[in-house]
């Protein structure tokens, strides 16, 4: 009887812990958003290291761990941002990875809704091309974030390496959120891979996948009132059996 009672108690504790863990993860995922307005306050080095340690637990194909990270911080972030902004204003796109060919159907609808929602939060009219350009360029200033992580993959691993890096980014975002650090994953910088590679002296055998701007959110910035919607399960899950 004692063993049975102890077993039941352990099962109950285990079930409770599982529920708490799931609730915590749901809270983190619900609370995370793409921050587009940061304060200049730097994230402590020990917090950054903890985020990286958690992100390093990401699953990968054959445990290849395709990702490598170029961490830019402090004054180097501003210099990197200026380099990218100047390049974007004077050069054509040059991406290591193929950019989307088009956004058809529901993908186009979601893209437009996201853009319109952000510009609405910022009070930018569709016809205001100058304001839209200024906001677009904020991507290359990392929205004022004090830190940016550039994620690269081994060229020889191809698509699988890029997929693994996507998993790494997702884990990084959740880890940062758990520590009160705001983030914005930025595919925009990968559209100018040549400028990123030149400035950070990244070898040719590394593919520029994306960047992650991170720091502390500016609670008063209007862009941070915007939240993108998510599709219903019925729109993305096909059930068999």
């Amino acid at each position: 009887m004692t063993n049975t009672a102890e077993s039941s108690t352990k099962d109950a504790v285990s079930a409770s812990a599982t529920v708490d863990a799931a609730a915590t993860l749901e809270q983190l995922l619900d609370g995370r958003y793409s921050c587009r307005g940061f304060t200049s306050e730097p994230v402590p080095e020990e917090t950054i290291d903890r985020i990286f340690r958690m992100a390093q637990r990401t699953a990968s194909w054959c445990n290849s761990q395709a990702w490598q990270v170029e961490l830019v911080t402090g004054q180097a972030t501003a210099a990197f941002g200026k380099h990218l902004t100047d390049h974007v204003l004077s050069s054509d796109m040059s991406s290591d990875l193929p950019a989307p060919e088009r956004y058809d159907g529901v993908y186009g609808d979601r893209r437009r809704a996201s853009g319109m929602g952000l510009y609405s939060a910022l009070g930018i009219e569709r016809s205001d091309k100058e304001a839209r350009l200024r906001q677009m360029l904020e991507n290359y200033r990392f929205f004022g974030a004090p830190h940016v992580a550039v994620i690269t993959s081994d060229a020889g691993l191809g698509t699988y390496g890029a997929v693994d890096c996507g998993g790494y980014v997702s884990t990084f975002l959740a880890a940062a959120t758990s520590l009160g650090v705001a983030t914005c994953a930025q595919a925009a910088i990968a559209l100018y891979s040549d400028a990123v590679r030149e400035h950070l002296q990244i070898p040719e055998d590394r593919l520029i996948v994306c960047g992650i701007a991170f720091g502390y959110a500016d609670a008063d910035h209007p862009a941070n009132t915007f939240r993108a919607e998510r599709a219903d399960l019925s729109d993305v899950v096909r059930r068999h059996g």
Side-chain angles (χ1 to χ4, degrees), residues 217-230:
D218 179 355
D220 296 324
H221 198 292
N224 290 335
T225 64
F226 169 67
R227 297 291 184 275
E229 295 184 356
R230 292 293 184 268

Side-chain angles (χ1 to χ4, degrees), residues 119 124-137:
Y119 285 130
I124 298 175
E125 297 292 337
R126 184 177 179 82
S127 59
D128 192 341
K129 294 183 179 180
E130 184 176 340
R132 290 167 69 89
L133 174 62
R134 284 199 305 271
Q135 181 58 34
M136 183 276 290
L137 290 175

Side-chain angles (χ1 to χ4, degrees), residues 232-240:
D232 292 333
L233 290 185
S234 59
D235 293 329
V236 298
V237 179
R238 296 179 61 200
R239 301 180 185 274
H240 303 266

Side-chain angles (χ1 to χ4, degrees), residues 85-109:
T85 302
D86 291 345
H87 184 87
V88 168
L89 289 171
S90 61
S91 307
D92 293 331
M93 292 181 182
S94 177
S95 177
D96 286 348
L97 298 172
E101 294 180 6
R102 58 190 178 276
Y103 290 86
D104 287 338
V106 67
Y107 309 113
D109 294 341

